[in-house]
Amino acid sequence: MMVALDGTIVAVANPAIGRDLQASLAELQWVTHGYLLGLAVFLITAGKLGDRFGYRRMYLVGVVGFVVASVAIALSSGVVLLVAFRILQGIFGAVLSPAAMGLLRTSFPPERLGRAFGLFGSLLSAANAAGPIAGGLLVSAFGWQAAFLINVPVGAVALGLGLWLLATDRPDTTRARFDLTGVALLTVAIFSLVWALVEAPGAGWTAAVTLAPLAVFAVFGAAFVLWERRPADPLLPLAIFRNPSVSIGVVLMLLMALSLIGSLFFVTFYLQGVLGLSPTRAGMFLLPLMAMMGIASPLAGRLLDRVGAKIPTIAGLLSSAFGLFLLSRLDTDTAFAFVAVAFLLLGAGLSLVMTGATAAIVGNVPVRLAGVASGMQQSAMQLGGSLGTAVLGAVMSMTIIATLPGHYRAADLAAPGAGELAAMQSTVAQGGAVVPEGADAALTQAVTAASHAAFLDGMHLAFGIAAAVMALAAALALLMRPGTAGAGQAEPVAHV
């Protein structure tokens, strides 16, 4: 839960971090990207480390490292240091996650694994959605640093209970050497892709700072695919993608994370910047999402046991698409009830998609590759979150630049020039307004209204695109195999 919570708790802390450290929108995106990138890049490698050295040992290492990185983040005096420590925090989070799954798998008999993973998914979903609530309370009371220092007491409890209660598991020492070349190639490829997506909105898609990392991504991505055919124990066995349910499950997991993390990133700016809510009240607006994800995940697990993953996954995608469409209709005077309905639909849908996609990935590979599949599933989710803030951020930035001059003219204001527009874009994208010094109340109100209108234009388009993508994903899910995950396999789903 600590790892999942820190993926979303920063959503409410971002505005305070931006004000305190004078960070731009792109730098704030990297506060999210850095953490998710550290997770996505290292998850599969960390799973192999757990197989080699034992899940209990890696779990305890992950707890200690995660807490130390959290303290370093809170003590950071600049955004560059903060992002660096967020990447380190993500790496230790990647050590924790596969180890936790491995501990569950070795501690429960096969007939009770479904219940264990159902509760596990419920806790993770609740932690993801609770981040903005907990963040709002902590930021309002103690400042943004508290959103990270909360991991100190939580980590101390986890470490103490882990040393006391977790039995030593027997590591697997029969595996071949680590695929270090594959790790290096994949790390460079993913980092280059996300870097390009973050830089493109400000620098432009044809700028060298965008095209160069895209070229690096293409080269290293292709090299990774070619290399993975060579090692005896590759980092990511490509043969598992021959199963269409596995491939589709990975895509659906990416899209699910894209919608959740991307939505929370800009909805927070909407609630605090446009509506003027405090961090605590902004977190309370997200309570329906948290509650629905916590309730729906275990129910989704039981439903999948009865009817398989295909139908619930399609239903979840359609529910998520409708929820995102409602969010694309938000305005400056939208009632809480409307927002609550949108989040209830989104929470229910995301729970079904997360559970169904996980079953499609993990349940349709041989047992000997279950660890690799688990790492791949979690990597897809974390990378999807990074891509969500990057892609939706690009849409937001381009829309603001295109529409802000028109809103200024409609308010009888002088439209900003190209240079002014570029300087204003980051502030407007965070729900703010660049008010001239010494402006009276009428001018301040006009500038703020025009800026908020441009922000809403960008948010409407971003969420509209996300809703359309989720609807198309529902059509893709029609190609999933019917029946329960793992049905028809010659070997059991899990070995104890």
Side-chain angles (χ1 to χ4, degrees):
M1 289 186 70
M2 186 166 61
V3 176
L5 191 71
D6 269 58
T8 56
I9 197 172
V10 75
V12 174
N14 266 332
I17 294 174
R19 290 190 299 268
D20 190 20
L21 302 183
Q22 299 180 344
S24 66
L25 176 63
E27 289 171 332
L28 286 179
Q29 286 178 327
W30 270 103
V31 175
T32 300
H33 290 320
Y35 181 73
L36 298 177
L37 191 62
L39 278 168
V41 169
F42 200 63
L43 274 166
I44 296 176
T45 303
K48 289 184 177 292
L49 288 173
D51 291 337
R52 181 67 62 91
F53 300 108
Y55 297 121
R56 178 182 183 271
R57 180 179 299 172
M58 297 308 300
Y59 175 83
L60 297 176
V61 169
V63 168
V64 173
F66 197 89
V67 170
V68 172
S70 299
V71 173
I73 292 169
L75 298 177
S76 298
S77 57
V79 70
V80 174
L81 270 179
L82 191 150
V83 170
F85 287 127
R86 279 285 280 176
I87 294 174
L88 183 64
Q89 187 187 41
I91 291 174
F92 281 110
V95 175
L96 268 172
S97 296
M101 296 287 283
L103 287 167
L104 281 182
R105 196 172 61 186
T106 57
S107 299
F108 287 85
E111 65 272 12
R112 297 183 63 186
L113 274 176
R115 297 180 185 180
F117 284 121
L119 178 59
F120 189 72
S122 176
L123 294 175
L124 288 181
S125 298
N128 269 309
I133 302 264
L137 294 172
L138 292 169
V139 171
S140 296
F142 307 106
W144 65 264
Q145 292 87 349
F148 301 101
L149 291 177
I150 188 62
N151 291 325
V152 175
V154 176
V157 172
L159 180 63
L161 292 177
L163 290 169
W164 178 31
L165 296 174
L166 295 179
T168 302
D169 54 309
R170 181 180 302 171
D172 179 8
T173 59
T174 62
R175 290 182 177 268
R177 67 177 62 184
F178 288 119
D179 180 14
L180 296 179
T181 301
V183 171
L185 292 174
L186 184 62
T187 299
V188 174
I190 295 177
F191 186 87
S192 301
L193 174 61
V194 178
W195 183 280
L197 291 172
V198 172
E199 292 295 331
W205 292 96
T206 58
V209 72
T210 302
L211 294 178
L214 283 177
V216 173
F217 163 72
V219 172
F220 278 79
F224 173 75
V225 173
L226 294 174
W227 171 261
E228 289 304 279
R229 303 173 186 273
R230 298 182 59 183
D233 185 21
L235 178 66
L236 184 62
L238 300 180
I240 61 178
F241 292 106
R242 295 173 185 170
N243 187 314
S245 291
V246 174
S247 301
I248 293 171
V250 172
V251 174
L252 297 183
M253 189 62 68
L254 278 165
L255 296 176
M256 182 279 301
L258 186 152
S259 66
L260 175 62
I261 305 300
S263 299
L264 291 179
F265 188 81
F266 288 107
V267 164
T268 303
F269 289 132
Y270 163 77
L271 295 174
Q272 296 188 44
V274 177
L275 299 188
L277 301 180
S278 67
T280 301
R281 290 194 63 196
M284 295 303 293
F285 260 69
L286 297 170
L287 183 60
L289 176 64
M290 178 197 72
M292 180 54 71
M293 293 188 72
I295 294 171
S297 291
L299 298 178
R302 294 193 177 191
L303 182 61
L304 259 68
D305 288 338
R306 293 186 177 183
V307 302
K310 183 176 181 178
I311 295 176
T313 301
I314 294 173
L317 288 166
L318 294 176
S319 176
S320 299
F322 190 48
L324 288 167
F325 172 76
L326 292 181
L327 289 176
S328 72
R329 302 294 92 199
L330 296 179
D331 208 339
T332 54
D333 56 355
T334 301
F336 172 74
F338 184 91
V339 180
V341 171
F343 279 140
L344 287 172
L345 289 169
L346 185 60
L350 292 174
S351 297
L352 287 168
V353 176
M354 181 183 294
T355 308
T358 300
I361 297 170
V362 180
N364 284 285
V365 299
V367 172
R368 61 184 176 83
L369 297 177
V372 172
S374 176
M376 181 177 63
Q377 174 261 337
Q378 295 178 61
S379 295
M381 185 171 66
Q382 303 304 335
L383 181 57
S386 183
L387 290 173
T389 51
V391 172
L392 295 185
V395 172
M396 173 73 76
S397 298
M398 290 187 292
T399 305
I400 288 173
I401 291 175
T403 63
L404 187 60
H407 289 298
Y408 263 60
R409 287 190 289 268
D412 293 327
L413 299 171
E420 293 177 300
L421 192 60
M424 297 166 63
Q425 175 268 325
S426 177
T427 300
V428 175
Q430 298 176 53
V434 180
V435 180
E437 186 177 352
D440 57 22
L443 178 58
T444 299
Q445 183 178 2
V447 171
T448 301
S451 299
H452 287 173
F455 174 89
L456 289 173
D457 287 340
M459 191 176 72
H460 292 165
L461 180 58
F463 286 156
I465 292 173
V469 169
M470 294 299 273
L472 291 174
L476 179 64
L478 292 172
L479 301 177
M480 294 175 65
R481 291 179 178 176
T484 57
Q489 297 220 8
E491 52 187 346
V493 174
H495 290 157
V496 179

